[in-house]
Coordinates of all heavy atoms in Angstrom, one line a residue:
M1 N 15.5 6.2 -18.1 CA 16.6 6.3 -17.2 C 16.4 5.5 -15.9 O 15.3 5.7 -15.3 CB 17.0 7.8 -16.9 CG 18.3 7.9 -16.1 SD 18.7 9.7 -15.7 CE 19.0 10.3 -17.3
M2 N 17.3 4.7 -15.5 CA 17.2 3.9 -14.3 C 17.4 4.8 -13.0 O 18.0 5.8 -13.1 CB 18.2 2.8 -14.3 CG 18.1 1.8 -15.5 SD 16.6 0.9 -15.5 CE 16.9 -0.3 -14.2
V3 N 16.8 4.3 -11.9 CA 16.9 5.1 -10.7 C 18.4 5.3 -10.3 O 18.7 6.4 -9.9 CB 16.2 4.3 -9.5 CG1 16.4 5.0 -8.2 CG2 14.7 4.2 -9.8
H4 N 19.2 4.3 -10.4 CA 20.6 4.5 -9.9 C 21.3 5.6 -10.8 O 22.2 6.2 -10.4 CB 21.4 3.2 -9.9 CG 21.6 2.6 -11.2 ND1 20.7 1.7 -11.8 CD2 22.6 2.6 -12.1 CE1 21.1 1.3 -13.0 NE2 22.3 1.8 -13.2
E5 N 20.9 5.7 -12.1 CA 21.5 6.7 -13.0 C 21.0 8.1 -12.6 O 21.8 9.0 -12.6 CB 21.0 6.4 -14.4 CG 21.7 5.2 -15.0 CD 21.1 4.8 -16.4 OE1 19.9 4.8 -16.5 OE2 21.9 4.6 -17.3
K6 N 19.8 8.2 -12.1 CA 19.2 9.5 -11.6 C 19.9 9.9 -10.4 O 20.3 11.0 -10.2 CB 17.7 9.4 -11.4 CG 16.9 9.3 -12.7 CD 15.4 9.3 -12.4 CE 14.6 9.3 -13.6 NZ 13.2 9.3 -13.4
I7 N 20.1 8.9 -9.4 CA 20.8 9.2 -8.2 C 22.2 9.7 -8.4 O 22.7 10.5 -7.7 CB 20.7 8.0 -7.2 CG1 19.2 7.8 -6.8 CG2 21.6 8.2 -6.0 CD1 19.0 6.6 -5.9
A8 N 22.9 9.1 -9.4 CA 24.3 9.4 -9.6 C 24.5 10.9 -10.0 O 25.5 11.4 -9.9 CB 24.8 8.5 -10.7
K9 N 23.4 11.5 -10.5 CA 23.5 12.9 -10.9 C 23.4 13.9 -9.7 O 23.8 15.1 -9.8 CB 22.3 13.3 -11.8 CG 22.5 12.7 -13.2 CD 21.4 13.2 -14.1 CE 21.7 12.7 -15.5 NZ 20.9 13.3 -16.5
D10 N 22.9 13.4 -8.5 CA 22.7 14.3 -7.4 C 24.1 14.6 -6.8 O 25.1 13.9 -6.9 CB 21.9 13.5 -6.3 CG 20.5 13.3 -6.9 OD1 20.0 14.0 -7.7 OD2 19.9 12.3 -6.4
A11 N 24.1 15.8 -6.1 CA 25.3 16.2 -5.4 C 25.0 16.2 -3.9 O 23.9 16.4 -3.5 CB 25.7 17.6 -5.9
F12 N 26.1 16.0 -3.1 CA 25.9 15.9 -1.7 C 26.9 16.9 -1.0 O 28.1 16.9 -1.4 CB 26.2 14.5 -1.2 CG 25.3 13.5 -1.7 CD1 25.5 12.8 -2.9 CD2 24.1 13.2 -1.0 CE1 24.6 11.9 -3.4 CE2 23.2 12.2 -1.5 CZ 23.5 11.6 -2.8
K13 N 26.4 17.6 -0.1 CA 27.3 18.5 0.7 C 27.1 18.1 2.2 O 26.2 18.5 2.9 CB 26.9 20.0 0.5 CG 27.8 20.9 1.2 CD 27.4 22.3 1.0 CE 28.3 23.3 1.7 NZ 27.8 24.7 1.6
P14 N 28.0 17.1 2.6 CA 27.8 16.6 4.0 C 28.3 17.6 5.1 O 29.2 18.3 4.9 CB 28.7 15.4 4.0 CG 29.7 15.6 2.9 CD 29.1 16.5 1.9
D15 N 27.5 17.6 6.1 CA 27.8 18.3 7.3 C 28.9 17.6 8.1 O 29.2 16.4 7.8 CB 26.6 18.5 8.2 CG 26.6 19.7 9.1 OD1 27.8 20.2 9.3 OD2 25.6 20.0 9.7
R16 N 29.5 18.2 9.0 CA 30.6 17.5 9.8 C 29.9 16.5 10.8 O 30.4 15.4 11.1 CB 31.4 18.4 10.6 CG 32.6 18.9 9.8 CD 33.4 20.0 10.5 NE 32.6 21.2 10.5 CZ 33.0 22.3 11.2 NH1 34.1 22.3 11.9 NH2 32.3 23.4 11.1
E17 N 28.7 16.9 11.3 CA 28.0 16.0 12.2 C 26.9 15.3 11.6 O 26.2 15.9 10.8 CB 27.5 16.8 13.4 CG 27.0 16.0 14.6 CD 26.7 16.9 15.8 OE1 27.4 17.9 16.0 OE2 25.7 16.5 16.4
S18 N 26.7 14.1 11.9 CA 25.6 13.3 11.3 C 24.2 13.8 11.7 O 24.0 14.1 12.8 CB 25.8 11.8 11.7 OG 24.7 11.1 11.1
H19 N 23.3 13.8 10.7 CA 21.9 14.1 11.1 C 21.1 12.9 11.4 O 19.9 12.9 11.6 CB 21.3 14.8 9.9 CG 21.2 14.0 8.6 ND1 22.3 13.7 7.8 CD2 20.1 13.4 8.0 CE1 21.9 13.0 6.8 NE2 20.6 12.8 6.9
I20 N 21.8 11.7 11.4 CA 21.2 10.5 11.8 C 21.9 9.9 13.0 O 23.2 9.7 12.9 CB 21.3 9.4 10.6 CG1 20.7 10.0 9.3 CG2 20.6 8.1 11.0 CD1 21.0 9.2 8.1
K21 N 21.2 9.7 14.1 CA 21.8 9.1 15.3 C 21.2 7.8 15.6 O 19.9 7.7 15.5 CB 21.7 10.1 16.4 CG 22.2 11.5 16.1 CD 22.7 12.3 17.2 CE 23.4 13.6 16.9 NZ 23.4 14.1 15.6
I22 N 22.0 6.9 15.9 CA 21.5 5.5 16.2 C 21.7 5.3 17.7 O 22.8 5.4 18.3 CB 22.3 4.5 15.4 CG1 22.1 4.7 13.9 CG2 21.8 3.1 15.8 CD1 23.0 3.9 13.1
D23 N 20.6 4.9 18.4 CA 20.7 4.5 19.8 C 21.1 3.0 19.8 O 20.3 2.1 19.6 CB 19.4 4.7 20.5 CG 19.5 4.4 22.0 OD1 20.2 3.5 22.4 OD2 18.8 5.1 22.8
H24 N 22.4 2.8 20.0 CA 23.0 1.4 19.9 C 22.4 0.5 21.0 O 22.4 -0.7 20.9 CB 24.5 1.4 19.9 CG 25.0 2.1 18.6 ND1 24.9 1.5 17.4 CD2 25.6 3.3 18.4 CE1 25.4 2.3 16.5 NE2 25.9 3.4 17.1
N25 N 22.1 1.1 22.2 CA 21.5 0.2 23.2 C 20.2 -0.4 22.8 O 19.9 -1.6 22.9 CB 21.3 1.0 24.5 CG 22.7 1.4 25.1 OD1 23.6 0.6 25.0 ND2 22.8 2.5 25.8
I26 N 19.3 0.5 22.2 CA 18.0 0.0 21.8 C 18.3 -1.0 20.6 O 17.7 -2.1 20.6 CB 17.1 1.2 21.2 CG1 16.7 2.1 22.4 CG2 15.9 0.6 20.5 CD1 16.0 3.3 22.0
C27 N 19.2 -0.6 19.7 CA 19.4 -1.5 18.6 C 19.9 -2.9 19.0 O 19.4 -3.9 18.5 CB 20.5 -0.8 17.8 SG 20.8 -1.4 16.1
K28 N 20.8 -2.9 19.9 CA 21.3 -4.2 20.3 C 20.4 -5.0 21.2 O 20.3 -6.2 21.1 CB 22.6 -4.0 21.1 CG 23.8 -3.6 20.2 CD 25.0 -3.3 21.0 CE 26.2 -2.9 20.1 NZ 27.4 -2.4 20.8
E29 N 19.7 -4.3 22.1 CA 18.8 -5.0 23.1 C 17.4 -5.4 22.5 O 16.9 -6.4 23.0 CB 18.7 -4.2 24.3 CG 20.0 -4.1 25.1 CD 20.0 -3.0 26.2 OE1 18.9 -2.6 26.5 OE2 21.1 -2.6 26.6
K30 N 16.9 -4.6 21.7 CA 15.5 -4.8 21.3 C 15.3 -5.3 19.8 O 14.4 -6.0 19.5 CB 14.7 -3.5 21.5 CG 14.4 -3.1 22.9 CD 13.5 -2.0 23.0 CE 13.1 -1.6 24.4 NZ 12.3 -0.4 24.4
C31 N 16.2 -4.8 18.9 CA 15.9 -5.0 17.5 C 16.5 -6.3 17.0 O 17.7 -6.5 17.1 CB 16.4 -3.8 16.7 SG 16.0 -4.0 15.0
K32 N 15.6 -7.2 16.5 CA 16.1 -8.5 16.0 C 16.2 -8.4 14.5 O 17.1 -9.1 13.9 CB 15.1 -9.6 16.4 CG 14.9 -9.7 17.9 CD 16.1 -10.4 18.5 CE 15.9 -10.5 20.1 NZ 16.9 -9.7 20.8
I33 N 15.3 -7.7 13.8 CA 15.3 -7.8 12.3 C 16.2 -6.8 11.6 O 16.7 -7.1 10.6 CB 13.8 -7.5 11.9 CG1 12.9 -8.6 12.5 CG2 13.7 -7.6 10.4 CD1 11.4 -8.4 12.3
K34 N 16.5 -5.6 12.2 CA 17.3 -4.6 11.6 C 16.8 -4.2 10.2 O 17.5 -4.4 9.2 CB 18.8 -5.2 11.5 CG 19.3 -5.8 12.7 CD 19.8 -4.8 13.7 CE 20.6 -5.5 14.9 NZ 20.0 -5.3 16.2
Y35 N 15.6 -3.7 10.1 CA 15.1 -3.3 8.9 C 15.9 -2.2 8.1 O 15.9 -2.2 6.9 CB 13.7 -2.7 9.1 CG 12.6 -3.7 9.4 CD1 11.9 -3.6 10.6 CD2 12.2 -4.6 8.5 CE1 10.9 -4.6 10.9 CE2 11.2 -5.5 8.7 CZ 10.6 -5.5 10.0 OH 9.6 -6.4 10.3
C36 N 16.6 -1.4 8.9 CA 17.5 -0.4 8.3 C 18.4 -0.9 7.3 O 18.8 -0.3 6.3 CB 18.2 0.4 9.4 SG 19.3 -0.6 10.4
L37 N 18.9 -2.2 7.5 CA 19.8 -2.8 6.6 C 19.2 -3.1 5.2 O 19.9 -3.2 4.2 CB 20.4 -4.1 7.1 CG 21.2 -4.0 8.4 CD1 21.6 -5.3 9.0 CD2 22.5 -3.2 8.1
F38 N 17.9 -3.1 5.1 CA 17.2 -3.5 3.9 C 16.4 -2.4 3.2 O 16.2 -2.5 2.0 CB 16.3 -4.7 4.2 CG 16.9 -5.8 4.9 CD1 16.7 -6.0 6.3 CD2 17.8 -6.7 4.3 CE1 17.3 -7.0 7.0 CE2 18.4 -7.7 5.0 CZ 18.2 -7.9 6.3
V39 N 16.0 -1.4 3.9 CA 15.1 -0.4 3.4 C 15.7 0.8 2.7 O 15.1 1.5 1.9 CB 14.0 0.1 4.4 CG1 13.2 -1.1 4.9 CG2 14.7 0.8 5.5
C40 N 16.9 1.1 3.1 CA 17.6 2.4 2.7 C 17.9 2.3 1.2 O 18.6 1.4 0.7 CB 18.9 2.6 3.4 SG 19.8 4.1 2.8
P41 N 17.3 3.2 0.4 CA 17.6 3.2 -1.1 C 19.0 3.4 -1.5 O 19.5 3.1 -2.5 CB 16.6 4.3 -1.6 CG 16.4 5.2 -0.5 CD 16.5 4.3 0.7
G42 N 19.8 4.1 -0.6 CA 21.2 4.3 -0.8 C 22.1 3.2 -0.3 O 23.3 3.3 -0.4
H43 N 21.5 2.2 0.4 CA 22.3 1.1 1.0 C 23.4 1.7 1.9 O 24.5 1.3 1.8 CB 22.9 0.2 -0.1 CG 21.9 -0.3 -1.1 ND1 21.0 -1.3 -0.7 CD2 21.7 0.0 -2.3 CE1 20.2 -1.5 -1.8 NE2 20.6 -0.7 -2.8
L44 N 22.9 2.6 2.8 CA 23.9 3.3 3.6 C 24.1 2.7 5.0 O 25.1 3.0 5.7 CB 23.4 4.8 3.8 CG 23.2 5.6 2.5 CD1 22.7 7.0 2.9 CD2 24.5 5.7 1.8
Y45 N 23.3 1.8 5.3 CA 23.4 1.1 6.6 C 24.2 -0.2 6.5 O 24.0 -0.9 5.5 CB 22.0 0.8 7.2 CG 21.4 2.0 7.8 CD1 20.6 2.8 7.0 CD2 21.5 2.3 9.2 CE1 20.0 3.9 7.6 CE2 20.9 3.4 9.7 CZ 20.1 4.2 8.9 OH 19.6 5.3 9.5
S46 N 25.0 -0.5 7.4 CA 25.8 -1.8 7.4 C 26.0 -2.2 8.8 O 25.9 -1.4 9.8 CB 27.1 -1.6 6.7 OG 27.9 -0.6 7.3
F47 N 26.4 -3.5 9.0 CA 26.7 -4.0 10.3 C 28.2 -4.1 10.4 O 28.9 -4.8 9.6 CB 26.1 -5.4 10.6 CG 26.3 -5.8 12.0 CD1 25.6 -5.3 13.0 CD2 27.3 -6.7 12.3 CE1 25.8 -5.7 14.3 CE2 27.6 -7.2 13.6 CZ 26.8 -6.6 14.6
N48 N 28.8 -3.3 11.3 CA 30.2 -3.3 11.5 C 30.6 -4.4 12.5 O 30.3 -4.3 13.7 CB 30.7 -1.9 12.0 CG 32.2 -1.8 12.1 OD1 32.9 -2.7 12.7 ND2 32.7 -0.7 11.6
E49 N 31.3 -5.4 12.0 CA 31.6 -6.6 12.8 C 32.6 -6.2 13.9 O 32.5 -6.7 15.0 CB 32.3 -7.7 11.9 CG 31.4 -8.2 10.8 CD 30.4 -9.2 11.3 OE1 30.5 -9.7 12.4 OE2 29.4 -9.5 10.5
E50 N 33.5 -5.3 13.6 CA 34.5 -4.9 14.6 C 33.9 -4.2 15.8 O 34.2 -4.5 17.0 CB 35.6 -4.0 14.0 CG 36.9 -4.6 13.8 CD 37.9 -3.7 13.1 OE1 38.1 -2.6 13.7 OE2 38.4 -4.1 12.1
L51 N 33.0 -3.3 15.5 CA 32.3 -2.5 16.5 C 31.1 -3.3 17.1 O 30.6 -2.9 18.1 CB 31.8 -1.2 16.0 CG 32.9 -0.2 15.5 CD1 32.3 1.0 14.8 CD2 33.8 0.2 16.6
N52 N 30.7 -4.3 16.4 CA 29.5 -5.1 16.7 C 28.3 -4.2 16.8 O 27.5 -4.3 17.7 CB 29.7 -5.8 18.0 CG 28.6 -6.8 18.3 OD1 28.1 -7.5 17.4 ND2 28.2 -7.0 19.5
E53 N 28.1 -3.3 15.8 CA 27.0 -2.4 15.8 C 26.7 -1.9 14.4 O 27.5 -2.0 13.5 CB 27.2 -1.2 16.7 CG 28.3 -0.3 16.4 CD 28.6 0.7 17.4 OE1 28.3 0.5 18.6 OE2 29.0 1.8 17.1
I54 N 25.4 -1.4 14.2 CA 25.0 -0.8 13.0 C 25.7 0.5 12.7 O 25.8 1.3 13.7 CB 23.5 -0.6 13.0 CG1 22.7 -2.0 13.1 CG2 23.0 0.1 11.8 CD1 22.7 -2.9 11.9
C55 N 26.1 0.7 11.5 CA 26.7 2.0 11.2 C 25.9 2.6 10.0 O 25.3 1.9 9.2 CB 28.2 1.9 10.8 SG 29.2 1.3 12.1
V56 N 26.0 3.9 9.8 CA 25.3 4.6 8.7 C 26.3 5.6 8.1 O 26.9 6.4 8.8 CB 24.0 5.2 9.1 CG1 24.1 6.3 10.2 CG2 23.3 5.8 7.9
E57 N 26.3 5.6 6.8 CA 27.1 6.5 6.0 C 26.2 7.7 5.7 O 25.7 7.8 4.6 CB 27.7 5.9 4.7 CG 28.6 4.7 4.9 CD 30.0 5.2 5.3 OE1 30.3 6.4 5.1 OE2 30.7 4.4 5.9
F58 N 26.1 8.6 6.6 CA 25.1 9.7 6.5 C 25.4 10.7 5.4 O 24.4 11.3 4.9 CB 25.0 10.5 7.8 CG 26.2 11.4 8.1 CD1 26.2 12.7 7.7 CD2 27.3 10.9 8.7 CE1 27.2 13.5 7.9 CE2 28.4 11.7 9.0 CZ 28.4 13.0 8.6
A59 N 26.6 10.8 4.9 CA 26.9 11.7 3.9 C 26.2 11.5 2.5 O 26.0 12.4 1.8 CB 28.4 11.8 3.6
G60 N 25.8 10.2 2.3 CA 25.1 9.9 1.1 C 23.6 9.8 1.2 O 22.9 9.3 0.3
C61 N 23.1 10.4 2.3 CA 21.6 10.3 2.6 C 20.8 11.0 1.6 O 21.1 12.2 1.2 CB 21.4 10.8 4.0 SG 19.6 10.7 4.5
L62 N 19.8 10.3 1.1 CA 18.8 10.9 0.1 C 17.7 11.7 0.8 O 16.8 12.2 0.1 CB 18.3 9.8 -0.8 CG 19.4 9.1 -1.6 CD1 18.8 7.8 -2.2 CD2 19.9 10.0 -2.7
E63 N 17.7 11.7 2.1 CA 16.7 12.4 2.9 C 15.2 11.9 2.6 O 14.3 12.8 2.6 CB 16.8 13.9 2.7 CG 18.2 14.4 3.1 CD 18.4 15.9 2.8 OE1 17.5 16.7 2.7 OE2 19.6 16.2 2.6
C64 N 15.1 10.7 2.5 CA 13.7 10.1 2.2 C 13.0 9.8 3.5 O 11.8 9.8 3.6 CB 13.8 8.8 1.4 SG 14.6 7.5 2.2
G65 N 13.8 9.6 4.6 CA 13.2 9.4 5.9 C 12.7 7.9 6.1 O 12.1 7.6 7.2
T66 N 13.0 7.1 5.2 CA 12.5 5.7 5.3 C 13.0 5.0 6.5 O 12.3 4.2 7.2 CB 12.9 4.9 4.0 OG1 12.4 5.6 2.9 CG2 12.4 3.5 4.1
C67 N 14.3 5.2 6.8 CA 14.9 4.4 7.9 C 14.3 4.8 9.3 O 14.1 3.9 10.1 CB 16.4 4.7 8.0 SG 16.9 6.4 8.0
K68 N 13.9 6.1 9.4 CA 13.2 6.5 10.7 C 11.9 5.7 10.8 O 11.6 5.3 11.9 CB 13.0 8.0 10.7 CG 12.4 8.5 11.9 CD 12.2 10.0 11.9 CE 11.5 10.4 13.2 NZ 11.5 11.9 13.3
I69 N 11.2 5.7 9.8 CA 9.9 5.0 9.8 C 10.0 3.5 10.0 O 9.3 2.8 10.7 CB 9.1 5.2 8.5 CG1 8.9 6.7 8.3 CG2 7.7 4.5 8.5 CD1 8.1 7.4 9.3
A70 N 11.0 2.9 9.3 CA 11.2 1.5 9.3 C 11.8 0.9 10.7 O 11.5 -0.2 11.0 CB 12.2 1.1 8.2
C71 N 12.4 1.8 11.4 CA 13.0 1.4 12.7 C 11.9 1.3 13.7 O 11.6 2.3 14.4 CB 14.1 2.3 13.2 SG 14.9 1.7 14.7
I72 N 11.2 0.2 13.9 CA 10.0 0.1 14.7 C 10.4 0.2 16.2 O 9.5 0.4 17.0 CB 9.2 -1.2 14.4 CG1 10.1 -2.4 14.5 CG2 8.6 -1.1 13.0 CD1 9.4 -3.7 14.4
E73 N 11.6 0.0 16.5 CA 12.0 0.1 17.9 C 12.4 1.5 18.3 O 12.7 1.8 19.5 CB 13.2 -0.8 18.2 CG 13.0 -2.3 17.9 CD 11.9 -2.9 18.8 OE1 11.5 -2.3 19.8 OE2 11.5 -4.0 18.5
G74 N 12.5 2.4 17.4 CA 12.8 3.8 17.7 C 14.2 4.1 18.0 O 14.6 5.0 18.7
A75 N 15.1 3.3 17.4 CA 16.5 3.5 17.7 C 17.2 4.5 16.8 O 18.3 4.9 17.0 CB 17.3 2.1 17.5
I76 N 16.5 4.9 15.7 CA 17.0 5.9 14.8 C 16.4 7.3 15.0 O 15.2 7.4 14.9 CB 16.8 5.4 13.3 CG1 17.6 4.1 13.1 CG2 17.3 6.5 12.3 CD1 17.4 3.5 11.7
D77 N 17.3 8.2 15.3 CA 16.9 9.6 15.5 C 17.3 10.3 14.2 O 18.5 10.5 14.0 CB 17.5 10.2 16.7 CG 17.2 11.7 16.9 OD1 16.3 12.2 16.2 OD2 17.8 12.3 17.8
W78 N 16.3 10.7 13.4 CA 16.6 11.3 12.1 C 16.0 12.7 12.0 O 14.9 12.9 12.3 CB 16.1 10.4 11.0 CG 16.4 10.7 9.6 CD1 17.5 10.2 8.9 CD2 15.8 11.7 8.8 NE1 17.5 10.8 7.6 CE2 16.5 11.7 7.5 CE3 14.7 12.6 8.9 CZ2 16.2 12.5 6.5 CZ3 14.4 13.4 7.9 CH2 15.1 13.4 6.7
S79 N 16.8 13.6 11.4 CA 16.3 14.9 11.1 C 16.9 15.4 9.8 O 17.9 14.8 9.4 CB 16.6 15.9 12.3 OG 18.0 15.9 12.5
Y80 N 16.4 16.4 9.2 CA 17.0 16.9 8.0 C 18.3 17.5 8.4 O 18.5 18.1 9.5 CB 16.1 18.0 7.4 CG 14.9 17.4 6.6 CD1 13.7 17.5 7.2 CD2 15.1 16.8 5.4 CE1 12.6 16.9 6.5 CE2 14.0 16.2 4.7 CZ 12.8 16.3 5.3 OH 11.7 15.7 4.6
P81 N 19.3 17.5 7.4 CA 20.6 18.1 7.7 C 20.3 19.6 7.8 O 19.3 20.2 7.4 CB 21.4 17.9 6.4 CG 20.7 16.7 5.7 CD 19.3 16.8 6.1
R82 N 21.3 20.3 8.4 CA 21.2 21.8 8.6 C 21.1 22.4 7.2 O 21.6 21.8 6.2 CB 22.4 22.3 9.3 CG 22.5 21.9 10.8 CD 23.6 22.6 11.5 NE 24.9 22.3 10.9 CZ 25.9 23.2 10.9 NH1 25.8 24.3 11.6 NH2 27.1 23.0 10.3
G83 N 20.6 23.7 7.2 CA 20.5 24.4 5.9 C 21.8 24.4 5.1 O 22.9 24.6 5.7
E84 N 21.7 24.3 3.8 CA 22.8 24.3 2.9 C 23.5 22.9 2.8 O 24.4 22.7 1.9 CB 23.9 25.3 3.2 CG 23.4 26.7 3.1 CD 24.5 27.8 3.3 OE1 25.6 27.5 3.1 OE2 24.1 28.9 3.7
Y85 N 23.2 22.0 3.8 CA 23.9 20.7 3.7 C 22.9 19.6 3.2 O 21.7 19.8 3.2 CB 24.4 20.3 5.1 CG 25.5 21.2 5.6 CD1 25.3 22.3 6.5 CD2 26.8 21.0 5.1 CE1 26.3 23.1 6.9 CE2 27.9 21.8 5.5 CZ 27.6 22.9 6.4 OH 28.6 23.7 6.8
G86 N 23.5 18.5 2.9 CA 22.6 17.4 2.4 C 22.6 17.2 0.9 O 23.5 17.7 0.2
V87 N 21.6 16.5 0.5 CA 21.5 16.2 -1.0 C 21.0 17.4 -1.8 O 20.2 18.1 -1.3 CB 20.6 14.9 -1.2 CG1 19.2 15.2 -0.8 CG2 20.7 14.4 -2.6
Q88 N 21.5 17.5 -2.9 CA 21.0 18.5 -3.9 C 20.6 17.7 -5.1 O 21.4 17.2 -5.9 CB 22.1 19.5 -4.3 CG 22.5 20.3 -3.1 CD 23.8 21.1 -3.4 OE1 24.3 21.0 -4.4 NE2 24.3 21.8 -2.4
Y89 N 19.2 17.6 -5.3 CA 18.7 16.8 -6.5 C 18.9 17.6 -7.8 O 18.7 18.8 -7.8 CB 17.3 16.5 -6.2 CG 17.1 15.4 -5.2 CD1 16.7 15.7 -3.9 CD2 17.3 14.1 -5.5 CE1 16.5 14.7 -2.9 CE2 17.1 13.1 -4.6 CZ 16.8 13.4 -3.3 OH 16.6 12.4 -2.3
R90 N 19.3 16.8 -8.8 CA 19.5 17.4 -10.1 C 18.6 16.6 -11.1 O 18.6 15.4 -11.1 CB 21.0 17.4 -10.5 CG 21.8 18.2 -9.6 CD 23.2 18.3 -9.9 NE 23.9 19.2 -9.1 CZ 25.2 19.3 -8.9 NH1 26.0 18.4 -9.6 NH2 25.7 20.2 -8.2
Y91 N 18.0 17.4 -11.9 CA 17.1 16.8 -12.9 C 17.7 16.9 -14.3 O 18.5 17.8 -14.6 CB 15.7 17.5 -12.9 CG 15.1 17.3 -11.5 CD1 15.2 18.4 -10.6 CD2 14.4 16.2 -11.2 CE1 14.6 18.2 -9.4 CE2 13.9 16.0 -9.9 CZ 13.9 17.1 -9.0 OH 13.4 16.9 -7.8
G92 N 17.2 16.1 -15.2 CA 17.6 16.2 -16.6 C 18.8 15.4 -17.0 O 19.4 14.7 -16.2
Ligands
SF4_1 FE1 18.8 5.9 3.7 FE2 16.5 7.4 3.3 FE3 17.5 6.9 5.8 FE4 18.8 8.6 4.2 S1 16.7 8.9 5.1 S2 19.7 6.9 5.5 S3 18.5 7.6 2.2 S4 16.6 5.4 4.3

């Protein structure tokens, strides 16, 4: 089974408030490479041309923590979603 087929089986219960916060000042002023756009296995980060800033679709987060580590400028404040919220992995 391919990875995307396994991920498609997971269920998500999104909280109203994002568990991922982006410091847009750091992002705009310091970060040139924007690793978050490339490392997220869920492809949840994008650059919003209208807002001229990075956005994240937190509801589909797989809770791997990769984006927090990859953001070498420290612009991403990431924590686990509150209890009962977030991804529910399903096997089989
Ligand atoms: Fe993507 Fe993982 Fe960051 Fe969630 S924790 S936004 S899945 S890189």
Side-chain angles (χ1 to χ4, degrees):
M1 186 180 291
M2 302 293 288
V3 171
H4 67 275
E5 292 174 307
K6 289 183 178 180
I7 290 174
K9 290 186 172 189
D10 298 332
F12 298 88
K13 185 178 177 185
D15 202 347
R16 273 177 284 175
E17 191 174 325
S18 177
H19 62 289
I20 305 169
K21 304 209 175 6
I22 302 170
D23 185 324
H24 294 291
N25 289 327
I26 294 176
C27 194
K28 287 176 181 172
E29 291 169 14
K30 289 188 178 176
C31 184
K32 303 283 180 244
I33 301 175
K34 314 278 190 241
Y35 286 117
C36 60
L37 295 173
F38 309 104
V39 299
C40 175
H43 306 288
L44 302 177
Y45 284 86
S46 61
F47 186 79
N48 185 311
E49 299 283 348
E50 250 176 62
L51 298 173
N52 191 36
E53 64 187 27
I54 297 286
C55 294
V56 59
E57 296 286 339
F58 73 93
C61 181
L62 298 165
E63 300 173 27
C64 66
T66 303
C67 54
K68 180 178 180 173
I69 303 298
C71 183
I72 56 175
E73 301 296 350
I76 295 175
D77 178 8
W78 187 96
S79 58
Y80 283 106
R82 292 188 303 152
E84 297 184 26
Y85 293 100
V87 66
Q88 298 167 1
Y89 286 100
R90 294 183 173 162
Y91 302 97

